[in-house]
């Protein structure tokens, strides 16, 4: 059994003048949301054998804030291939995780993370609408976390339709003030 947790970076700031998208920092709401998700991961008792993350500044800052809420340092392997990666690239990376790791955390960006969940988790069909997969399909907001389990022994055996989505949590599920901004 393997468990893959997917974390989208927290809300970044568009007000900061940066040369590259890669260097965009988190805004204050994003920092709060990431710390809240970290507390949630701690309450759920999640421990990760292996962590890989995009080296983009907003991902680095997300992990710093998640670690604050989690109460422990998270030491990822930084992998540039995750930055704005497609679902296919993310699946390739997950399939290359060390088999000795039972639980892994992948931290990155949309639309790749959302597309990866939709690729790995089979559609429940019309009779089971309204579940967590439908919530992911509707929107995978910033700082949201999805936990997928696989009945496999090796990461290389991950395949489309082979996952169960055991949990999908958005920051607003934990603190309503972290929901979408009013327009």
């Amino acid at each position: 059994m393997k468990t893959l947790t997917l974390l989208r970076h927290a809300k970044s700031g568009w007000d900061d003048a940066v040369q590259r998208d890669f260097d965009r920092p988190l805004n204050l709401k994003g920092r709060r949301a990431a710390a809240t998700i970290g507390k949630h991961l701690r309450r759920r008792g999640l421990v990760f054998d292996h962590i890989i993350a995009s080296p983009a500044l907003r991902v680095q800052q997300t992990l710093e804030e998640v670690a604050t809420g989690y109460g422990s340092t998270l030491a990822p392997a930084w992998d540039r291939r995750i930055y704005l990666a497609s679902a296919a690239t993310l699946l390739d990376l997950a399939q290359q995780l060390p088999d000795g790791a039972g639980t892994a955390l992948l931290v990155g960006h949309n639309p790749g993370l959302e597309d990866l969940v939709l690729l790995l988790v089979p559609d429940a069909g019309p009779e089971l609408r309204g579940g967590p997969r439908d919530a992911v399909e509707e929107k995978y907001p910033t700082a949201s976390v999805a936990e997928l389990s696989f009945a496999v022994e090796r990461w290389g055996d991950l395949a489309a339709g082979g996952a169960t989505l055991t949990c999908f949590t958005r920051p607003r599920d934990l603190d309503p003030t972290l929901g979408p901004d009013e327009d």
Side-chain angles (χ1 to χ4, degrees):
M1 181 75 127
K2 301 290 184 189
T3 301
L4 178 63
T5 301
L6 305 175
L7 172 64
R8 182 179 176 197
H9 68 78
K11 190 161 186 58
S12 58
W14 288 91
D15 297 336
D16 296 310
V18 294
Q19 293 280 339
R20 305 178 311 159
D21 173 73
F22 190 85
D23 299 321
R24 227 171 350 106
L26 295 185
N27 66 21
L28 291 176
K29 188 175 183 179
R31 289 183 177 278
R32 276 187 35 237
T36 299
I37 287 294
K39 290 176 190 171
H40 170 71
L41 296 175
R42 181 183 68 221
R43 278 192 306 269
R44 294 207 54 233
L46 298 180
V47 178
F48 306 105
D49 300 324
H50 195 83
I51 302 170
I52 55 173
S54 162
L57 179 60
R58 59 192 178 272
V59 172
Q60 293 179 40
Q61 291 178 337
T62 295
L63 282 171
E64 290 168 7
E65 296 299 330
V66 166
T68 299
Y70 188 68
S72 179
T73 302
L74 301 171
W78 303 105
D79 193 324
R80 179 78 184 218
R81 294 174 293 174
I82 298 172
Y83 178 67
L84 304 180
S86 68
T89 298
L90 294 173
L91 178 57
D92 286 345
L93 290 168
Q95 289 170 330
Q96 296 169 23
L97 287 164
D99 287 330
T103 59
L105 173 65
L106 190 155
V107 190
H109 310 266
N110 247 7
L113 291 176
E114 177 179 329
D115 292 343
L116 181 61
V117 172
L118 299 177
L119 172 71
L120 294 173
V121 179
D123 190 344
E127 65 281 356
L128 295 175
R129 290 285 176 226
R133 187 187 188 282
D134 287 347
V136 169
E137 191 169 9
E138 181 181 319
K139 185 172 185 181
Y140 198 122
T142 52
S144 293
V145 63
E147 185 181 54
L148 297 93
S149 62
F150 301 85
V152 297
E153 295 297 318
R154 299 177 338 102
W155 289 103
D157 294 333
L158 300 187
T164 300
L165 181 58
T166 56
C167 184
F168 178 61
T169 305
R170 303 164 296 194
R172 71 175 178 234
D173 298 331
L174 306 169
D175 178 350
T177 68
L178 295 171
D181 294 326
E182 297 296 321
D183 290 329

